[in-house]
Amino acid sequence: MPAVQETVEQVRAIDIDQYKYGFSTDIEMELAPKGLSEDIVRYISARKNEPAWMLEWRLDAYRRWLTMREPDWARVDYPQIDFQDMYYYAAPKSNAAPKSLDEIDPAILETYKKLGIPLREQEILAGVAPENRIAVDAVFDSVSVVTTFKEELKKSGVIFSSISEALHEHPELVKKYIGSVVPTTDNYYATLNAAVFSDGSFVYIPPGVRCPMELSTYFRINEQKTGQFERTLIIADKGSYVSYLEGCTAPMRDENQLHAAVVELIAHDDAEIKYSTVQNWYPGDSQGKGGIYNFVTKRGDCRGARSKISWTQVETGSAITWKYPSCILRGDDSQGEFYSIAVSNGAQQVDSGTKMIHLGKNTRSRIISKGISAGRSQNTYRGLVSAHRRATNAKNFTNCDSLLIGNACGAHTVPYIESKTASAVFEHEATTSKVSEDQMFYCMQRGLTQEEAIALIVNGFVKDVLQQLPMEFMVEAQKLIAISLEGSVG
Amino acid sequence: MVMNAITPIRTPAEQALIGAFGALRDSGPASAALEGLRIDGFSRFEASGLPHRRVEDWKYTDLRALMREARPLAGAPDASVLLAAKVAVGRLPRVGGSRIVLVDGFHAPDLADGGALPEGVTVSDLAAAMAQRPEISALVTGQPATRANIAFALNNAFLTEGLLIEVAPGTELGHALDLVSITSDGAPRLVTSRIVVVVGAGASAGIVETHLGPAGVEYQKNVVMQVVVRDGATLEHGRRQIEGDQALHLATLEASVGAEAHFDSLTLTTGAAVSRSQLFVRFAGEHSNVTLRGVSMLKGRQHADTALVMEHAVPHCQSRETFKHILDGEAHGVFQGKIIVQPVAQKTDGRMMSQTIMLAEGPSMDNKPELEIFADDVACAHGCTCGELDADLMFYLKARGIPHKEAEALLVEAFAREAIEDFGGGPLAVVEELREAMLTSVTEWMRART
């Protein structure tokens, strides 16, 4: 495997305590007053100049949130979050509706440059074949600073913008779909998000259109003491196709910051959405100080017949991860897929998995989940596969494997498999093992060092998932895995 | 589960259980040994009430909804009850050597059968043993996971009598003990029984439990068996749950397995309207192995839950869990299994499998096979399948002239056989007898389908 050498070099060069994206950008920000109240909800809505119905929707969610209890069922442990001790809105001051990149604060541009995210279309164009181009929506703290290739996408009828913009330009679409997959009543963090979400991406692919390029959103938390609450809404109309990538990073800080996002996907008849995430929020230091709390609700609705939604995620960051990208297989013959690699190291806690809810006939789903725990981390796969009585001939295959490196970590599997129809065929398998001594011996006997051998074996272990990632992310993901495993040789 | 500070509203069943405990307490003191258990059990129950679907361990068996009423406590059987029980038990083919009979949860030595107890086996009153031997008291108290369980707590609360079965170290039993627990006919009651089995070091023993009762009676039964398999010992444990069709059956098996020991347990479930079989098994010594298996065959609106916790608390142990569900009608099967590997339990080898075949459109099956691993040098796996009979296999058999129903029966038997076939392995003749009895039950169950 040619990529392995690359990962090995990453292992050598980078230590877990040297999170590569840990810098912060000094920039003048506009912050909402600290804390959470109806006034803050009104403030956010007003800042975004939202229609009245949107404010009502938010307030309704906020009032409901006040009556809810924080969930405690996940295998994660963290001190009580003080929801009054953070800022719910933080926007760069200079970002008063920039018309072009030239109007954006150079410090922000510099930030994205440092992160390796291309925002200048002409830079991307140079030397890149058209089909390999990526359109980016860059979200900086609470606001979207720029969305690239909008004009070109418009030519195909594709709408790709920040959700705030979509609220003004396509209110009918937003109103029709928002909250239709993850209702405001869904869960504690989704309800909180509905009340205070500040930005995010909106994608609409018209019937029969194959989106001409990959779409992506890059989330960056920069300001201290802020929470990031973004909301992404992707609609693939009949017979359309879109591939969407999501990346995220944050500065290294001693405090914990909250990220509570909601992602809703809707696939109509014959449409396909491929959603890939490389989650690399700051994980905290090796002692567990600092890091992002990543409490995210992601759900796709295969609303139409023969529709398909595919989730791929590479999870290496965050102090705590609580996320279960799910598929509601409502349309007959629809398909759901979930490919995940969750790597935890240091004091990280991961509780992640998926739900495949089979409602329609002949629906199919596949789950491949690989968990790797090292250091003192706890890594849990939690998943649900269910077949409704009418979901005849539903099929699921689940494979969730865990790999432990070192003897201070934990790997756990909590699957729920619920079938209410005889013709549904469910298969589930899970294994847990450690990097075997035999494999290590074999590799090292051929001259590999211990780190190289581990990197090689681990990359083999996660290969099934990495192959699902778009090319650009595959390389990135391999590097990430190597970084997270550094220092884990036991 | 964090309880609300608000006083919960008691269901009629909970109120009846609280009343029954008061009446039992007023009827006179239990032996000092049991008194502490009862109070502990009752206070645990009183604090949390009957478990419901929001309690994770009972997610799929909502006892609060399924146990609408609590029946009055069964009293010691009188002469006529014993006589009727003798007739009913007499009809049951023996699957072992000496037969020990419990009627309504009370030991009925007069109904014993199959000759005197073999040498090395003693059966005694549990309360008396607890009073004299602190180690027995400690054992009866239970492991932490068992103690936290509400079915176990209720068993403690209503305990009036228990049985201690001991197999002396080094004893090798040729036949298993045939333990029959029968509930008498008449007004429905709540039966509570407790049996403690201690298999001494190096001994080899077998025990077969059969639980039965009258059809058409909504009796309730809460049975607990606590087993200790000492170092180098072997215990083969069989269990047939063929309760009456209206019964509610809660069974808890707790086992602690010493070093270089062997424990094999097979449960066959065909009876009761609602049943739950709980297994809490723990390795206490290295280089041991445990096999847990079960076959549940359910029809109509039967509900059966198997909830097991297999804890690897020491290194170098092996466990295998194989459970099969065969569901017909609108039956509901539940399997919740958890393998826990503690940080010290390196070189653990654990494998858990749950498989289901549905024979009709109506049944439902809920599976939750969990792994909880804290040690890195282990090999653990679980698998789970659920579906109908393989259409290709059916076609193959039918193409060879085998009628549809027979083809179904053949495939179902083969499916169940996987769990039953290699049961035991010890020297006991009874293992073979039990295996055959179980397989016959499978065949008969299939034949009885209309």
Side-chain angles (χ1 to χ4, degrees):
Chain A
M1 252 187 301
V4 170
Q5 191 53 40
E6 207 170 346
T7 58
V8 168
E9 276 159 22
Q10 290 287 340
V11 173
R12 286 212 189 105
I14 303 164
D15 199 283
I16 186 174
D17 279 353
Q18 293 173 358
Y19 177 70
K20 191 172 154 191
Y21 308 103
F23 63 89
S24 64
T25 309
D26 211 2
I27 194 166
E28 220 183 330
M29 298 292 281
E30 184 205 332
L31 292 170
K34 205 184 221 179
L36 183 55
S37 64
E38 275 202 24
D39 288 344
I40 292 292
V41 176
R42 286 175 199 281
Y43 175 93
I44 294 169
S45 189
R47 288 296 301 150
K48 307 217 153 271
N49 210 3
E50 284 176 355
W53 66 265
M54 197 66 228
L55 174 64
E56 271 317 304
W57 194 78
R58 287 173 177 275
L59 287 172
D60 182 51
Y62 175 70
R63 288 170 196 140
R64 195 177 287 275
W65 180 76
L66 290 176
T67 67
M68 294 170 95
R69 274 179 52 185
E70 208 172 331
D72 58 1
W73 43 262
R75 183 183 275 279
V76 293
D77 185 29
Y78 55 91
Q80 186 90 35
I81 296 174
D82 184 354
F83 288 96
Q84 298 303 338
D85 190 33
M86 65 172 105
Y87 296 101
Y88 287 81
Y89 186 80
K93 265 198 174 153
S94 53
N95 191 47
K99 293 280 178 297
S100 74
L101 279 180
D102 302 331
E103 291 177 29
I104 295 174
D105 190 323
I108 294 176
L109 291 178
E110 186 59 27
T111 302
Y112 282 92
K113 202 172 171 188
K114 261 166 111 173
L115 294 169
I117 306 301
L119 295 184
R120 289 183 186 277
E121 294 177 16
Q122 59 274 36
E123 283 173 13
I124 306 163
L125 286 170
V128 177
E131 64 274 18
N132 289 345
R133 284 174 303 174
I134 304 177
V136 180
D137 181 20
V139 177
F140 194 83
D141 285 324
S142 300
V143 293
S144 165
V145 287
V146 68
T147 310
T148 61
F149 288 111
K150 273 170 77 170
E151 290 310 312
E152 184 157 347
L153 287 166
K154 218 180 226 169
K155 285 180 202 155
S156 319
V158 173
I159 304 169
F160 179 41
S161 70
S162 72
I163 201 155
S164 319
E165 221 177 303
L167 262 170
H168 292 114
E169 288 171 20
H170 309 280
E172 72 298 340
L173 280 176
V174 177
K175 195 172 182 179
K176 182 173 173 191
Y177 289 105
I178 196 167
S180 73
V181 185
V182 180
T184 51
T185 52
D186 196 77
N187 70 68
Y188 191 78
Y189 295 108
T191 307
L192 175 64
N193 175 287
V196 301
F197 81 87
S198 46
D199 221 330
S201 303
F202 175 84
V203 177
Y204 173 79
I205 316 288
V209 170
R210 190 179 169 90
C211 187
M213 62 182 89
E214 304 263 357
L215 305 183
S216 80
T217 304
Y218 197 91
F219 295 102
R220 174 73 180 171
I221 293 180
N222 186 61
E223 189 59 29
Q224 292 189 41
K225 290 239 170 246
T226 53
Q228 191 175 55
F229 305 90
E230 86 270 1
R231 198 158 184 118
T232 299
L233 180 55
I234 300 178
I235 302 129
D237 217 323
K238 291 179 183 171
S240 66
Y241 169 87
V242 61
S243 167
Y244 181 90
L245 322 172
E246 176 197 82
C248 28
T249 57
M252 282 163 69
R253 293 223 173 83
D254 286 349
E255 59 174 16
N256 294 109
Q257 282 177 283
L258 178 63
H259 173 252
V262 170
V263 174
E264 297 179 280
L265 311 184
I266 296 123
H268 287 288
D269 290 357
D270 302 293
E272 179 176 347
I273 302 174
K274 188 175 162 74
Y275 193 105
S276 312
T277 307
V278 172
Q279 187 266 101
N280 192 18
W281 293 116
Y282 177 54
D285 68 9
S286 58
Q287 299 310 306
K289 201 168 184 195
I292 302 288
Y293 292 165
N294 191 31
F295 300 155
V296 174
T297 307
K298 290 183 169 181
R299 196 172 302 153
D301 188 355
C302 285
R303 208 164 278 185
R306 299 167 301 281
S307 55
K308 180 176 174 184
I309 288 178
S310 173
W311 298 98
T312 304
Q313 60 174 27
V314 175
E315 301 275 317
T316 54
S318 298
I320 298 174
T321 303
W322 181 98
K323 96 180 213 195
Y324 314 90
S326 309
C327 294
I328 301 168
L329 302 167
R330 201 185 301 275
D332 291 350
D333 304 289
S334 59
Q335 279 184 62
E337 288 175 352
F338 176 74
Y339 301 96
S340 168
I341 302 171
V343 184
S344 57
N345 203 346
Q348 282 179 279
Q349 304 173 59
V350 180
D351 196 307
S352 184
T354 184
K355 292 183 197 177
M356 291 292 172
I357 299 162
H358 293 259
L359 301 176
K361 294 183 180 64
N362 308 319
T363 45
R364 279 171 292 160
S365 63
R366 177 202 291 231
I367 299 170
I368 307 284
S369 168
K370 309 272 182 182
I372 301 172
S373 358
R376 292 176 293 115
S377 67
Q378 299 294 328
N379 201 327
T380 304
Y381 167 82
R382 188 184 301 274
L384 166 74
V385 177
S386 76
H388 190 267
R389 221 166 264 293
R390 284 174 310 177
T392 49
N393 297 318
K395 284 193 174 45
N396 166 267
F397 174 77
T398 300
N399 175 313
C400 44
D401 296 339
S402 313
L403 191 67
L404 288 108
I405 299 175
N407 54 11
C409 51
H412 318 291
T413 318
V414 191
Y416 297 75
I417 303 132
E418 305 175 355
S419 176
K420 286 191 165 52
T421 177
S423 59
V425 177
F426 286 175
E427 290 175 54
H428 174 105
E429 56 182 53
T431 59
T432 304
S433 60
K434 84 170 209 168
V435 173
S436 98
E437 281 168 22
D438 289 353
Q439 289 171 344
M440 287 295 288
F441 177 76
Y442 183 88
C443 296
M444 288 168 70
Q445 188 221 32
R446 270 149 186 78
L448 297 184
T449 64
Q450 204 169 23
E451 289 86 7
E452 286 168 337
I454 285 205
L456 180 72
I457 294 163
V458 168
N459 264 311
F461 176 75
V462 299
K463 198 179 67 199
D464 296 352
V465 178
L466 287 182
Q467 280 169 347
Q468 299 300 326
L469 283 173
M471 199 55 185
E472 307 74 13
F473 269 29
M474 191 165 149
V475 176
E476 173 93 342
Q478 269 176 344
K479 284 182 194 166
L480 280 174
I481 286 166
I483 294 165
S484 292
L485 290 174
E486 164 65 15
S488 50
V489 179
Chain B
M1 193 75 198
V2 184
M3 288 307 298
N4 289 331
I6 311 155
T7 316
I9 297 164
R10 302 284 190 194
T11 66
E14 288 168 341
Q15 285 168 10
L17 288 168
I18 291 167
F21 182 78
L24 183 66
R25 194 180 42 204
D26 296 343
S27 71
S31 66
L34 296 183
E35 191 67 24
L37 270 188
R38 275 197 196 170
I39 290 170
D40 177 61
F42 181 73
S43 56
R44 280 172 193 268
F45 164 70
E46 203 181 23
S48 62
L50 287 172
H52 46 86
R53 64 188 179 82
R54 303 298 295 269
V55 178
E56 186 62 21
D57 288 348
W58 294 80
K59 183 175 165 65
Y60 299 115
T61 299
D62 186 338
L63 203 58
R64 190 176 279 181
L66 291 167
M67 189 173 169
R68 297 213 166 273
E69 291 175 76
R71 302 302 176 185
L73 304 187
D78 61 20
S80 65
V81 167
L82 285 175
L83 189 64
K86 188 167 186 168
V87 174
V89 172
R91 282 198 213 109
L92 198 67
R94 277 225 314 275
V95 281
S98 307
R99 179 173 270 180
I100 300 164
V101 180
L102 266 63
V103 179
D104 295 339
F106 293 87
H107 185 205
D110 294 346
L111 269 61
D113 194 3
L117 287 169
E119 204 177 324
V121 177
T122 50
V123 175
S124 52
D125 179 56
L126 185 61
M130 285 168 73
Q132 287 154 16
R133 296 160 60 188
E135 87 272 14
I136 298 294
S137 258
L139 201 164
V140 173
T141 308
Q143 297 162 9
T146 325
R147 271 215 302 281
N149 183 275
I150 292 302
F152 181 79
L154 281 172
N155 187 283
N156 279 343
F158 297 117
L159 201 55
T160 46
E161 190 191 282
L163 220 54
L164 172 65
I165 302 175
E166 288 178 283
V167 180
T171 308
E172 291 207 0
L173 294 186
H175 290 283
L177 301 169
D178 183 6
L179 183 84
V180 178
S181 173
I182 186 166
T183 301
S184 61
D185 208 344
R189 275 149 307 155
L190 171 62
V191 171
T192 302
S193 79
R194 182 72 149 261
I195 293 169
V196 174
V197 179
V198 179
V199 185
S204 170
I207 188 161
V208 176
E209 299 174 64
T210 305
H211 295 271
L212 72 163
V217 182
E218 293 181 10
Y219 64 90
Q220 297 167 337
K221 195 166 172 183
N222 183 337
V223 298
V224 171
M225 181 180 271
Q226 289 170 295
V227 171
V228 179
V229 185
R230 300 251 190 249
D231 295 356
T234 293
L235 178 66
E236 318 281 1
H237 168 255
R239 189 163 188 285
R240 292 191 294 173
Q241 193 268 89
I242 49 173
E243 300 278 14
D245 59 353
Q246 298 298 311
L248 172 86
H249 176 98
L250 298 174
T252 307
L253 173 70
E254 182 194 70
S256 168
V257 180
E260 293 177 29
H262 170 84
F263 177 59
D264 196 341
S265 171
L266 165 62
T267 300
L268 179 81
T269 302
T270 56
V274 174
S275 67
R276 174 162 156 121
S277 162
Q278 316 186 112
L279 299 102
F280 298 93
V281 183
R282 187 166 192 266
F283 283 110
E286 299 184 18
H287 298 286
S288 295
N289 64 71
V290 163
T291 309
L292 305 173
R293 18 168 141 235
V295 176
S296 296
M297 290 179 288
L298 310 173
K299 60 190 177 190
R301 299 182 63 86
Q302 277 182 292
H303 172 105
D305 179 351
T306 297
L308 78 86
V309 180
M310 177 76 242
E311 189 185 355
H312 286 258
V314 293
H316 298 285
C317 288
Q318 187 198 64
S319 74
R320 293 285 178 270
E321 296 81 26
T322 308
F323 287 80
K324 306 265 185 176
H325 282 80
I326 299 150
L327 306 178
D328 200 359
E330 290 167 42
H332 183 200
V334 178
F335 175 79
Q336 294 188 83
K338 187 193 255 185
I339 298 180
I340 302 173
V341 180
Q342 301 290 8
V344 296
Q346 298 293 0
K347 306 284 179 194
T348 284
D349 178 0
R351 255 180 245 170
M352 177 160 64
M353 188 61 163
S354 162
Q355 293 180 299
T356 304
I357 283 185
M358 292 190 186
L359 297 170
E361 266 308 310
S364 54
M365 179 72 204
D366 294 312
N367 268 300
K368 191 183 167 205
E370 256 182 280
L371 297 176
E372 197 174 301
I373 318 273
F374 294 99
D376 65 339
D377 191 3
V378 301
C380 281
H382 69 225
C384 165
T385 64
C386 184
E388 54 194 353
L389 282 173
D390 189 323
D392 290 347
L393 292 177
M394 283 296 286
F395 177 79
Y396 180 89
L397 292 174
K398 283 156 80 176
R400 269 146 191 82
I402 299 171
H404 185 85
K405 286 206 75 173
E406 257 176 65
E408 271 187 346
L410 264 177
L411 291 176
V412 167
E413 277 174 52
F415 176 73
R417 196 178 270 270
E418 265 187 277
I420 300 172
E421 196 157 63
D422 61 344
F423 173 63
L428 300 168
V430 70
V431 167
E432 190 54 42
E433 291 168 38
L434 180 70
R435 207 155 40 198
E436 285 312 311
M438 298 275 192
L439 287 169
T440 308
S441 306
V442 175
T443 313
E444 279 169 1
W445 188 85
M446 282 305 287
R447 218 170 269 158
R449 285 179 72 224
T450 45

